[in-house]
């Protein structure tokens, strides 16, 4: 009835699945899950994920049913009964979909359907990896479970074909004993993940496909009409009669429920105390492992990590930025034990592989820090979000070609929305990929990714900028003093005390074209400034004085050079400037010939610059 009252009061929301799964969710939160609602960030808590995020009323109503939480703690962001009355209202802690940055106790923002399952895999993978690295035969400090609950089509056969142990429960008549027995049965399966949408084995995903009735008790019961929206007055009246709720005010909670959830809170407090005692024992017996584990859980960084990057000099052989990236990634891995990730079957091309740190494999080597995702970009990014939001200090990286970022765009967007610290390594970032042609040559992708709020997109030009980008990506606050951390900076300028006559702005490999053109123009007596705009969003955040110092407003003649869609560059080159880019799909051919076709040569940049200077 709390579910019904919430959607009726808000005149919005999804009640269908929440009504159908009410008994199951109550059983999970009261009897199956280990968590402490007075300490929602306790590390060793069980994690609950909704694949069908619109059913978040299941979570929200369960998180309101303790008077201890509601009356005594008044914890910021922890939902209370009053919050249910604000369902879907602007600024409330009870949005229409679960938001981990809005409501305490929500583990991940599941977003569009299909995200929750891979998020849960990432959470479970984090458990398995951390457990394999830090648990000891006599003490396990990582033994929690990820629980993923979803209502879907009958996909048992699909999961069985993928090698899962599958259990199907008919809960249409509230058969909770069958659900309990299924959980007990899952304990016996130690090598396969079990499909009940519920992991019992630490580090293994256990899912449960439950046959329930959508919109249970209402006139819409069993139909798609129950998915979303309110109920008419007669329907609400009949539902109240069915559960003997006639004389109760909206948002009423019976005392028994408060007592039951209070009992769970008492249990949760004891569970956390027991785990803290276990951690103290672990620290005394295994001090080195405990120090690293506690640093990870606290999201700490090993002091001096930023000095671990390779040092490059002008005499070193020139490498691709992808090559520099691989060297930086492996240098980081030596000082950041939380680094873990994979490359969507492209490790040999994008250099995103951690040497000597093994492959994550169940059950052989769950301690490995390289994940063999295969060609599954969407799953890779969704799993990375789960790894990042697990709270175990893991820093996931997900690598592929830039053009394939389209396959994982929703998950990348949710990384930004969820404040999940995922490193996306996107190589082969222009038509310079050459012979593979338009299908592999990204054009609009830089613009599309730059449009995502809060996402920091770096397009480094050399080894130093690549290292600078990694410093910011690994720890934003600690690296903003670096020029790359400012997003844009002056690479070269022969203007001395005068202002430049023209400014060339480049990113990535095209920055060298700007520098080569500038050298030609300088020999002819032109004052030229070259600026690297490695990360627009960070540059935009800088103080006005710094931005004016790099790009003086009085210098209106500007040329940007980037082998991608010119969208957005007018903001930096101005009305009188020229944005050199590509608004076509590219061609197959040697990279130099493709670059030449689109004007990405020193000669063409110089020609464009001279044409602007003579206006």
């Amino acid at each position: 009835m709390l579910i019904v009252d919430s959607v009726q009061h808000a005149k919005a929301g999804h009640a269908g699945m929440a009504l159908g799964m009410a008994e199951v969710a109550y059983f999970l939160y009261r009897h199956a899950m280990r968590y402490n609602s007075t300490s929602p960030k306790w590390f060793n808590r069980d994690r609950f994920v909704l694949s069908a995020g619109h059913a978040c009323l299941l979570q929200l109503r369960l998180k309101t049913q303790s008077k201890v939480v509601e009356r005594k703690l008044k914890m910021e962001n922890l939902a209370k009964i009053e919050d249910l009355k604000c369902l879907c209202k602007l600024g409330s802690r009870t949005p229409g979909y679960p938001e981990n940055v809005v409501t305490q106790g929500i583990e991940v923002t599941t977003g569009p359907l299909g995200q929750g399952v891979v998020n849960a895999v990432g959470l479970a993978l984090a458990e398995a990896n951390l457990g394999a690295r830090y648990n000891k035969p006599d003490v396990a400090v990582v033994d929690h479970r990820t629980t993923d609950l979803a209502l879907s089509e009958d996909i048992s056969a699909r999961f069985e074909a993928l090698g899962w142990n599958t259990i199907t429960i008919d809960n249409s008549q509230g058969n909770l004993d069958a659900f309990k027995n299924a959980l007990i049965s899952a304990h016996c399966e130690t090598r396969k993940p079990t499909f009940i949408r519920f992991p019992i084995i630490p580090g293994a995903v256990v899912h449960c496909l439950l046959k329930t009735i959508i919109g249970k008790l209402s006139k819409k019961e069993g139909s798609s009409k129950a998915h979303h929206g309110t109920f008419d007055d007669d329907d609400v009246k009949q539902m109240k009669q069915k559960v003997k709720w006639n004389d109760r005010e909206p948002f009423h909670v019976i005392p028994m429920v408060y007592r039951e959830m209070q009992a769970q809170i008492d249990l949760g407090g004891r569970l956390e105390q027991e785990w803290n005692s276990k951690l103290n024992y672990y620290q005394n017996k295994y001090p080195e492992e405990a120090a690293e584990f506690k640093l990870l859980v606290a999201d700490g960084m090993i002091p001096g990590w930023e000095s671990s990057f390779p040092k490059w000099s002008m005499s070193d052989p020139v490498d691709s930025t992808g090559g520099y990236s691989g060297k930086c990634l492996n240098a980081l891995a030596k000082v950041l034990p939380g680094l873990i990730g994979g490359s969507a079957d492209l490790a040999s091309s994008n250099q995103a592989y951690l040497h000597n740190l093994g492959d994550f494999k169940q059950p052989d080597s769950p301690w490995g820090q390289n994940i063999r995702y295969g060609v599954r970009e969407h799953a890779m990014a969704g799993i990375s979000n789960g790894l990042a939001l697990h709270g175990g200090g893991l820093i996931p990286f997900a690598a592929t070609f830039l053009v394939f970022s389209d396959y994982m765009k929703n998950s990348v967007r949710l990384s930004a929305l969820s404040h999940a610290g995922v490193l996306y390594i996107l190589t082969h970032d222009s038509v310079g990929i050459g012979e593979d042609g338009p299908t592999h040559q990204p054009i609009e992708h830089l613009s599309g990714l730059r449009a995502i709020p809060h996402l920091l997109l770096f397009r480094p030009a050399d080894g130093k900028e690549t290292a600078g980008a990694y410093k910011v990506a690994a720890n934003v606050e600690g690296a903003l003093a670096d020029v790359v951390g400012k997003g844009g900076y002056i690479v070269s300028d022969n203007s001395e005390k005068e202002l430049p006559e023209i400014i060339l702005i480049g990113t990535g490999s095209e920055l060298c074209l700007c520098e080569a053109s500038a050298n030609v123009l300088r020999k002819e007596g032109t004052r030229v400034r070259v600026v690297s705009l490695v990360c627009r969003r960070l540059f935009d955040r800088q103080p006005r004085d710094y931005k004016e110092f790099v790009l003086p407003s009085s210098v209106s003649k500007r040329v940007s050079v980037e082998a991608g869609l010119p969208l957005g560059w007018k903001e930096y080159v101005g009305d009188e400037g020229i944005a050199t880019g590509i608004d076509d799909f590219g061609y197959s051919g040697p990279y130099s010939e493709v670059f030449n076709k689109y004007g990405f040569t020193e000669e063409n940049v110089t020609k464009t610059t001279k044409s602007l200077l003579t206006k």
Side-chain angles (χ1 to χ4, degrees):
M1 292 313 300
L2 277 177
I3 293 165
V4 173
D5 291 341
S6 298
V7 297
Q8 294 300 99
H9 187 77
K11 295 182 173 58
H14 297 78
M17 176 179 170
L19 286 173
M21 300 289 284
E23 298 152 318
V24 173
Y26 180 84
F27 181 87
L28 283 173
Y29 270 86
R30 175 61 186 95
H31 297 292
M33 286 173 57
R34 299 177 301 179
Y35 68 101
N36 184 359
S37 57
T38 68
S39 180
K41 292 297 184 183
W42 170 39
F43 169 78
N44 211 41
R45 68 191 181 278
D46 290 350
R47 270 74 166 174
F48 179 90
V49 179
L50 277 169
S51 177
H54 54 264
C56 64
L57 269 173
L58 287 169
Q59 291 172 286
L60 296 176
R61 62 119 179 158
L62 284 162
K63 292 179 182 301
T64 65
Q65 293 173 358
S66 165
K67 286 187 176 179
V68 171
V69 172
E70 186 174 351
R71 185 176 65 239
K72 294 182 179 179
L73 295 179
K74 295 182 180 178
M75 296 178 69
E76 184 180 359
N77 289 338
L78 197 62
K80 298 183 282 292
I81 286 289
E82 289 302 313
D83 292 310
L84 286 181
K85 299 177 182 179
C86 298
L87 178 70
C88 298
K89 295 293 189 292
L90 186 66
S92 77
R93 289 180 291 198
T94 48
Y97 270 71
E99 303 283 355
N100 70 303
V101 294
V102 173
T103 311
Q104 286 274 23
I106 301 296
E107 301 291 350
V108 296
T109 298
T110 51
L113 299 184
Q115 298 286 323
V117 173
V118 285
N119 292 163
V121 171
L123 290 167
L125 198 156
E127 297 161 16
N129 183 263
L130 291 169
R133 290 163 66 180
Y134 296 105
N135 287 347
K136 299 296 181 182
D138 60 330
V139 56
V141 291
V142 184
D143 61 355
H144 50 282
R145 308 167 295 184
T146 298
T147 304
D148 173 57
L149 183 64
L151 185 67
S152 181
E153 72 274 17
D154 184 0
I155 53 174
S156 292
R158 182 192 309 170
F159 277 82
E160 190 172 356
L162 290 170
W164 291 53
N165 174 43
T166 63
I167 301 174
T168 300
I169 299 173
D170 186 343
N171 191 55
S172 59
Q173 303 300 322
N175 185 11
L176 289 181
D177 284 340
F179 183 52
K180 180 180 179 180
N181 292 335
L183 299 185
I184 295 172
S185 174
H187 274 289
C188 300
E189 176 54 66
T190 60
R191 294 185 66 86
K192 294 180 181 180
T194 299
F195 188 81
I196 326 176
R197 297 201 176 256
F198 184 37
I200 299 305
I201 313 306
V205 187
V206 182
H207 292 290
C208 184
L209 176 63
L210 296 169
K211 290 185 176 180
T212 61
I213 300 177
I214 188 172
K216 192 172 182 179
L217 299 179
S218 75
K219 289 192 296 187
K220 301 176 183 179
E221 182 180 290
S223 74
S224 60
K225 294 178 181 178
H227 172 70
H228 176 269
T230 59
F231 305 94
D232 62 44
D233 292 343
D234 287 341
D235 199 359
V236 174
K237 183 178 179 179
Q238 289 184 29
M239 282 191 276
K240 287 185 175 182
Q241 290 174 347
K242 290 177 181 177
V243 295
K244 298 179 174 57
W245 209 258
N246 292 319
D247 299 326
R248 285 158 177 160
E249 293 295 317
F251 298 99
H252 177 75
V253 179
I254 60 176
M256 182 275 290
V257 173
Y258 274 129
R259 289 195 299 270
E260 285 294 303
M261 298 310 288
Q262 179 59 55
Q264 196 289 321
I265 284 179
D266 295 341
L267 173 62
R270 292 195 300 271
L271 288 172
E272 184 170 3
Q273 289 178 354
E274 291 170 5
W275 183 77
N276 286 331
S277 298
K278 189 186 296 185
L279 188 61
N280 288 333
Y281 170 84
Y282 183 85
Q283 186 171 345
N284 290 331
K285 190 168 182 181
Y286 308 102
E288 286 189 24
E289 292 92 332
E292 184 174 287
F293 175 69
K294 292 178 76 173
L295 188 70
L296 273 179
V297 173
D299 285 329
M301 309 286 279
I302 295 177
W305 69 270
E306 65 275 9
S307 62
S308 65
F309 292 99
K311 301 294 189 297
W312 288 285
S313 68
M314 295 298 291
S315 61
D316 292 335
V318 175
D319 200 351
S320 66
T321 48
Y324 289 126
S325 171
K327 294 169 184 174
C328 288
L329 193 66
N330 275 277
L332 267 181
K334 294 177 181 177
V335 294
L336 294 183
L339 206 60
I340 184 171
S343 60
D345 207 29
L346 288 168
S348 61
S349 297
N350 57 33
Q351 306 298 307
Y353 188 84
L354 306 180
H355 302 302
N356 304 316
L357 289 179
D359 291 345
F360 177 91
K361 294 179 183 177
Q362 288 276 52
D364 302 327
S365 57
W367 46 264
Q369 290 170 247
N370 292 287
I371 304 172
R372 298 285 188 172
Y373 288 111
V375 188
R376 298 181 182 91
E377 287 84 356
H378 178 239
M380 174 176 69
I383 289 171
S384 296
N385 284 336
L387 287 166
L389 294 171
H390 173 266
L394 297 179
I395 303 174
F397 64 89
T400 187
F401 289 3
L402 176 58
V403 75
F404 301 142
S405 64
D406 279 346
Y407 291 130
M408 57 186 186
K409 185 73 172 294
N410 257 326
S411 294
V412 175
R413 183 176 185 271
L414 285 174
S415 297
L417 179 62
S418 305
H419 300 183
V422 179
L423 307 182
Y424 289 101
I425 304 168
L426 305 172
T427 63
H428 299 68
D429 62 344
S430 76
V431 292
I433 195 172
E435 286 82 354
D436 285 344
T439 60
H440 282 58
Q441 294 172 357
I443 302 297
E444 75 281 10
H445 300 75
L446 290 171
S447 296
L449 291 171
R450 282 175 177 143
I452 298 175
H454 307 303
L455 183 71
L456 298 182
L457 186 147
F458 296 87
R459 191 160 185 258
D462 57 16
K464 291 180 180 179
E465 285 196 354
T466 302
Y470 268 102
K471 287 181 184 179
V472 179
N475 183 1
V476 172
E477 297 301 322
L480 289 181
D482 189 279
V483 289
V484 174
K486 294 181 182 294
Y489 65 98
I490 300 170
V491 175
S492 63
D493 194 338
N494 66 329
S495 305
E496 297 181 352
K497 294 182 179 180
E498 298 182 77
L499 286 173
E501 297 172 70
I502 194 165
I503 301 175
L504 303 182
I505 310 170
T507 71
S509 301
E510 293 82 82
L511 185 64
C512 68
L513 300 178
C514 296
E515 189 68 14
S517 176
N519 289 334
V520 172
L521 295 166
R522 287 164 186 163
K523 291 177 181 178
E524 297 175 1
T526 306
R527 299 190 305 277
V528 184
R529 173 175 295 181
V530 175
V531 168
S532 173
L533 204 59
V534 62
C535 179
R536 289 185 191 173
R537 181 157 277 131
L538 282 182
F539 183 73
D540 293 343
R541 293 178 185 174
Q542 300 310 306
R544 181 181 298 178
D545 289 349
Y546 180 77
K547 291 187 285 189
E548 177 66 20
F549 168 71
V550 176
L551 297 175
S553 55
S554 57
V555 181
S556 60
K557 297 184 184 299
R558 304 177 184 180
V559 176
S560 67
V561 185
E562 183 175 75
L565 196 71
L567 184 68
W569 276 107
K570 274 294 180 183
E571 180 180 346
Y572 303 95
V573 300
D575 293 337
E576 297 183 37
I578 298 175
T580 306
I582 304 174
D583 57 4
D584 199 356
F585 280 117
Y587 282 89
S588 174
Y591 85 91
S592 58
E593 294 181 17
V594 177
F595 258 41
N596 182 70
K597 176 174 178 59
Y598 287 105
F600 291 98
T601 63
E602 174 269 306
E603 293 79 11
N604 188 62
V605 174
T606 301
K607 179 181 176 182
T608 301
T609 304
K610 285 183 176 180
S611 70
L612 189 58
L613 284 167
T614 57
K615 284 187 178 180

